[in-house]
Amino acid sequence: MTCAESEPALTPADQKSPLITLTDVAAEAGVGESTVSRVLRNHGSFSEKTRAKVMAAVEKLGYVPNKIAGALASTGSPLVAIIVPSLSNIVFADVLSGVTKALEAKGHQAVFAVTDYDPAKEEALVAAVLAWRPAAVMLVGLEHTDGTRRMLHASGCRVLELLDIDGEAIDIAVGFSHHEAGRQTAARLLESGYRNIAYVGHDLKHDMRSGKRFAGFLEGLANAGLELAEQEIRDAPSSVSEGRAGLADVLSRGRPIDAVYFSNDDMALGGYFHCLAERISIPDQIALMGFNALDICRHTPQPIASVFTPRIETGRRAAELFLEGAPSQVVDLGFTIVAGATI
Amino acid sequence: MTCAESEPALTPADQKSPLITLTDVAAEAGVGESTVSRVLRNHGSFSEKTRAKVMAAVEKLGYVPNKIAGALASTGSPLVAIIVPSLSNIVFADVLSGVTKALEAKGHQAVFAVTDYDPAKEEALVAAVLAWRPAAVMLVGLEHTDGTRRMLHASGCRVLELLDIDGEAIDIAVGFSHHEAGRQTAARLLESGYRNIAYVGHDLKHDMRSGKRFAGFLEGLANAGLELAEQEIRDAPSSVSEGRAGLADVLSRGRPIDAVYFSNDDMALGGYFHCLAERISIPDQIALMGFNALDICRHTPQPIASVFTPRIETGRRAAELFLEGAPSQVVDLGFTIVAGATI
DNA sequence: TTGTATGCGTTATCAC
DNA sequence: GTGATAACGCATACAA
C-alpha cells in the first residue's frame, strides 16, 4: 500500500506509453518468453530460481498479462456471457450475483447484457456476445427466437437457461416449474377456504414465466371446478405502483373478493399498501399472495404470503454445472410456499 | 425465423467443428480477406457488387466475427469494465442499467464484477478486468486502495468513478455530494421544527458514501447548535429488517425522539414498517426520512420523505462522457429532496 | 476497388 | 528445465 513515487500528472488517456508485454518481462528477467508464460500460469516445469527472476521482473515492470491475446492463442475462453431481461427486478440481480460469485472464483469473467424483455433484442445481444467466443452463454427462460437458437447451436458453446424448466432446453436448464408453482399456489388458497379469488398481474406478453404461473394457477382452480372471480392484467412491467393500482381497480368493481393472487411480490406489496391505505383488514377481508418471497415482503407488519424461489442458488448452480462440464440436463431446484400472515 | 433443416442432436459441447473464420468467408465469396473485413465494418471502400457477395457468404456460412482477434489486431478495445459493490442494492443495478444501455448502442460490451464492498477484492477485480484491456473502467465511489490507483494509472485506460464527488477523482467522476445531501437533509428536518433527531444507519465502514452523508448530517445539526438525540448504527449491510430493528432499538431507549434519519430508503422502509406495526403515528409522533427515493417508498400509504438520487442518469452520463472522449472532470448531477408525507 | 503481407501478445509444440 | 517458432483470427498499411 505504499506509493513512494508521486504519480505523474497525466490523464490516463494522455499517456500513450506502450504497455508492458510478455516479451518485456522475458528480457528483463533474462529468460525466454515461453518460460515467463509457464511461470505465470504455473503450468509446465521451471526451477524455483527462474520463477523468482520472472516474478521480480513482473513486479518491477508492473506487468499485467493480456487476456485478449491469451484467449486468442489458447483454445478455451474464460469469458461467460450473461443476458438477463432486466435489472430493475431484483430477481435477476440475485441470479447475476450467484453466477458471478461462483465464476470469479475460477478465474472466469462475466460479460453482461440486458434485453428489456425483448426477444429480438435478445437475439441481437446473443450475436454480440458470441463474437467474444464465450465458453458459455447464460439466458433467462426457455423462450427464444429461432435465430437465437440457431446461433447458439452453431457457436458450440455451452448454453445455460435459467429460472425456468417448463419447456425444451437447448443444453442445460436450471430453475423450477412456474406452471407448477401457480398450480400449487391455487391449491394452497383453496385449502385455506378462499373461493372468490382474483388475479392481479403485469404484462404476460413479455414476461413468459408470469404467464406460465398464471396458467398453472387457473388450472389449479379449474381442478376444483372454480374460475377466477376477477382479473386485472396491467399492460406494464411489474411494480409496486401497478400492483396497488391493480388491486384498487379490481376492488372497485364491487364483486366480492376474498383472496388475491399477484403475479409477483412487487405487485403484491403494492396490493398490501392499498389495503393499509384503505384500512382493509388482512386476511379477514382480503387475503394476499405473491411470488418470489422477496426479503422486503418478509418484514412488512404482516409478512406477505408468497412462494420462495431459489434465485441466487439458480445462478450458482448454473455456474457450477458449466464449470464441471456437466452433460446436458434439466435441474429442478424447486420452490417453497411461504405462508406469511396474509392468507 | 425459418429453420428448414433440423438441428443435429449434438450437445453444443460435443461439436468440435472448427468455427468459421474470415478466411472461410473470403474463400466462399471469392474475394480477399481484407475486403471481407472492410465490408463487415463498413470501413474503406468496396463496390456494391462485392458487398453483396460477401454478405451472401456471411449469411450462408453463419459467420460471426471473432472480436477477440479483432481487439488484438486493432488498437482500441470495445470492452468496458464495470465494478460495483453489490447488486442486492437496487441503486447499483440502476447505475448498471444506465451504463449498459448507453454503451450497447455504440457497440461496446460490458465486463462486469462485484466487490461486496471490499476494497481488497476491488483491487483484485480491477487487476482481473485490466487483463482484458478495457477502454474504460467504471468504479463506484472515490475510495480505492493505492494498488488499485496505481494499476489504473498504469493501464492508460479511462477511469470513471460513479455516485460520489466528495474527494479526489482519478480521471472522471460522475455523481453528487453525499456530504451535502446529508447536510441539506438535516437543514430540512430542522426547518420543519424537529429537534430531537435520531439516526439509524448501516455499516459505514464499508459503505463510505453513507458515512459521508452521516457526517454531513451531523454538520447540518451542529450548524444549528444541535446534536443527535440518539443513534443506532447496525453492523450489517442496509436492509429493511435492519432498519426495522434499528428503529425499534432506538425507541426502546426511552428518550423523546421526534424525527429519524435513516442511512437509506431500505432502512427507512423498515422503520416505516415498525411504526405501522406498533401503531406509531407518522409524522405526528415520529417523522421519517430516508435516502435515494426508491420507487417502492413512493407508493407506501404515506410516501416516505427522501432524497432523490440520479442513479440511471449517473450511469448514462458516465458512459456518454467516455464515448465522447471527454477530458478529466467532475460532473455534479445533484440530488433532490422529496418531501413525501412522513415529515 | 481490391489483394498481400505484417503484426497484435499470447499459448502450444516442439527441439534442445 | 528451457527457448525458438508456429499458430490464433483479424486489422491495417501498402502495393497493385
Side-chain angles (χ1 to χ4, degrees):
Chain A
M1 297 288 177
T2 59
C3 184
E5 310 161 332
S6 63
E7 302 293 89
L10 288 172
T11 299
D14 292 336
Q15 54 183 90
K16 292 271 181 186
S17 64
L19 289 175
I20 314 296
T21 72
L22 224 191
T23 313
D24 300 323
V25 177
E28 174 71 30
V31 300
E33 303 186 8
S34 47
T35 303
V36 177
S37 177
R38 269 170 294 183
V39 169
L40 256 32
R41 288 177 302 127
N42 199 31
H43 185 269
S45 56
F46 44 82
S47 70
E48 179 51 39
K49 196 176 143 196
T50 48
R51 179 203 180 79
K53 281 196 296 185
V54 169
M55 294 315 274
V58 165
E59 202 68 24
K60 177 176 175 187
L61 299 177
Y63 170 65
V64 177
N66 184 334
K67 294 222 181 199
I68 298 261
L72 181 59
S74 71
T75 47
S77 157
L79 252 28
V80 172
I82 310 173
I83 301 177
V84 299
S86 150
L87 275 181
S88 47
N89 192 329
I90 191 87
V91 166
F92 303 120
D94 282 348
V95 173
L96 199 53
S97 297
V99 170
T100 54
K101 195 147 299 179
L103 240 40
E104 69 192 20
K106 297 292 181 179
H108 284 270
Q109 259 300 329
V111 166
F112 169 73
V114 181
T115 71
D116 287 323
Y117 287 102
D118 179 353
K121 193 168 177 187
E122 181 183 71
E123 181 171 332
L125 290 174
V126 165
V129 299
L130 245 26
W132 291 98
R133 299 294 185 267
V137 173
M138 298 194 182
L139 304 166
V140 169
L142 300 167
E143 282 73 33
H144 315 288
T145 66
D146 287 351
T148 299
R149 290 173 189 285
R150 199 160 29 215
M151 286 189 293
L152 253 16
H153 268 117
S155 74
C157 73
R158 297 312 298 264
V159 179
L160 293 288
E161 292 169 285
L162 313 184
L163 290 177
D164 193 4
I165 59 171
D166 296 330
E168 196 77 22
I170 296 175
D171 180 9
I172 291 180
V174 182
F176 54 87
S177 169
H178 287 260
H179 187 91
E180 183 61 16
R183 220 186 48 73
Q184 290 193 26
T185 302
R188 183 67 180 73
L189 288 178
L190 293 173
E191 195 178 294
S192 295
Y194 300 108
R195 289 296 177 274
N196 300 307
I197 302 176
Y199 173 77
V200 174
H202 62 278
D203 62 340
L204 358 123
K205 296 185 304 296
H206 297 122
D207 184 347
M208 312 302 287
R209 289 166 296 292
S210 84
K212 292 179 179 179
R213 294 196 293 278
F214 185 40
F217 190 79
L218 293 178
E219 186 182 306
L221 292 185
N223 287 345
L226 281 178
E227 286 186 345
L228 230 35
E230 281 287 1
Q231 75 176 60
E232 167 67 15
I233 298 179
R234 314 292 291 186
D235 185 28
S238 71
S239 70
V240 176
S241 60
E242 289 297 334
R244 185 167 174 173
L247 178 56
D249 194 322
V250 160
L251 296 183
S252 73
R253 295 175 201 165
R255 194 181 293 203
I257 299 294
D258 56 19
V260 182
Y261 177 44
F262 292 86
S263 50
N264 67 25
D265 272 14
D266 296 275
M267 300 290 285
L269 189 57
Y272 180 73
F273 287 160
H274 177 74
C275 292
L276 290 183
E278 299 298 320
R279 303 192 181 291
I280 296 171
S281 175
I282 303 167
D284 312 326
Q285 291 178 263
I286 293 184
L288 305 179
M289 180 107 192
F291 182 80
N292 272 331
L294 299 187
D295 177 66
I296 195 171
C297 296
R298 314 252 55 71
H299 298 283
T300 40
Q302 299 174 78
I304 300 174
S306 192
V307 179
F308 173 79
T309 54
R311 305 178 293 274
I312 296 182
E313 175 71 8
T314 295
R316 202 176 59 71
R317 197 81 192 82
E320 285 173 358
L321 287 169
F322 153 66
L323 291 170
E324 293 166 5
S328 296
Q329 62 190 284
V330 174
V331 178
D332 184 356
L333 258 26
F335 52 81
T336 312
I337 291 184
V338 177
T342 63
I343 58 173
Chain B
M1 296 284 178
T2 58
C3 184
E5 311 160 331
S6 64
E7 302 292 303
L10 289 172
T11 299
D14 293 335
Q15 53 184 89
K16 293 270 181 187
S17 64
L19 289 174
I20 314 296
T21 72
L22 225 190
T23 312
D24 300 325
V25 177
E28 174 70 30
V31 301
E33 303 186 9
S34 57
T35 302
V36 177
S37 176
R38 268 168 296 182
V39 169
L40 255 33
R41 288 176 307 122
N42 198 30
H43 185 271
S45 57
F46 43 82
S47 70
E48 180 50 40
K49 194 176 147 197
T50 48
R51 177 202 180 81
K53 280 197 296 185
V54 168
M55 294 315 274
V58 165
E59 203 69 23
K60 177 176 177 188
L61 299 177
Y63 171 66
V64 176
N66 184 335
K67 294 225 180 198
I68 299 262
L72 182 60
S74 70
T75 48
S77 158
L79 251 29
V80 173
I82 310 174
I83 300 178
V84 299
S86 152
L87 275 180
S88 46
N89 192 328
I90 190 89
V91 166
F92 303 120
D94 282 347
V95 172
L96 200 53
S97 297
V99 170
T100 55
K101 195 148 299 180
L103 239 39
E104 69 192 18
K106 297 292 180 176
H108 285 270
Q109 258 300 329
V111 167
F112 169 74
V114 181
T115 71
D116 288 322
Y117 287 102
D118 179 353
K121 193 167 177 187
E122 181 182 70
E123 180 171 332
L125 290 174
V126 166
V129 299
L130 243 27
W132 290 98
R133 298 292 184 271
V137 174
M138 298 194 182
L139 303 165
V140 169
L142 299 167
E143 282 73 33
H144 315 287
T145 66
D146 286 350
T148 299
R149 288 173 191 285
R150 199 159 31 218
M151 287 188 295
L152 253 14
H153 268 116
S155 75
C157 74
R158 297 313 297 265
V159 179
L160 293 287
E161 293 168 286
L162 313 184
L163 290 176
D164 192 3
I165 60 171
D166 295 332
E168 197 76 21
I170 296 175
D171 181 8
I172 292 179
V174 182
F176 54 88
S177 169
H178 288 259
H179 187 90
E180 184 60 17
R183 219 185 50 73
Q184 289 195 26
T185 302
R188 183 68 180 75
L189 288 178
L190 293 173
E191 195 178 293
S192 294
Y194 300 108
R195 289 296 178 274
N196 299 306
I197 303 176
Y199 173 76
V200 174
H202 62 277
D203 62 341
L204 359 124
K205 296 185 303 295
H206 298 122
D207 184 347
M208 313 301 289
R209 289 166 297 290
S210 83
K212 291 178 180 178
R213 293 196 294 277
F214 185 40
F217 190 79
L218 293 178
E219 186 180 307
L221 293 185
N223 287 345
L226 281 178
E227 286 186 345
L228 230 35
E230 281 284 4
Q231 74 176 61
E232 167 68 14
I233 298 179
R234 314 292 292 186
D235 187 26
S238 71
S239 70
V240 176
S241 60
E242 290 296 334
R244 184 166 175 174
L247 178 57
D249 194 319
V250 161
L251 296 182
S252 73
R253 295 176 200 164
R255 194 182 293 203
I257 299 294
D258 56 18
V260 183
Y261 176 44
F262 293 85
S263 51
N264 67 26
D265 272 14
D266 297 275
M267 300 291 284
L269 189 56
Y272 179 74
F273 287 161
H274 175 75
C275 292
L276 289 183
E278 300 297 321
R279 302 191 183 292
I280 296 170
S281 174
I282 302 169
D284 313 328
Q285 292 178 263
I286 294 184
L288 305 178
M289 179 106 193
F291 181 80
N292 272 332
L294 300 187
D295 177 67
I296 194 171
C297 296
R298 314 251 56 71
H299 298 282
T300 40
Q302 300 174 77
I304 300 174
S306 192
V307 179
F308 173 78
T309 55
R311 304 179 293 274
I312 297 181
E313 174 70 7
T314 294
R316 202 176 59 70
R317 198 79 192 82
E320 286 173 358
L321 287 169
F322 153 65
L323 291 170
E324 293 166 6
S328 296
Q329 62 190 284
V330 173
V331 179
D332 184 356
L333 258 28
F335 52 81
T336 311
I337 291 183
V338 177
T342 64
I343 59 173

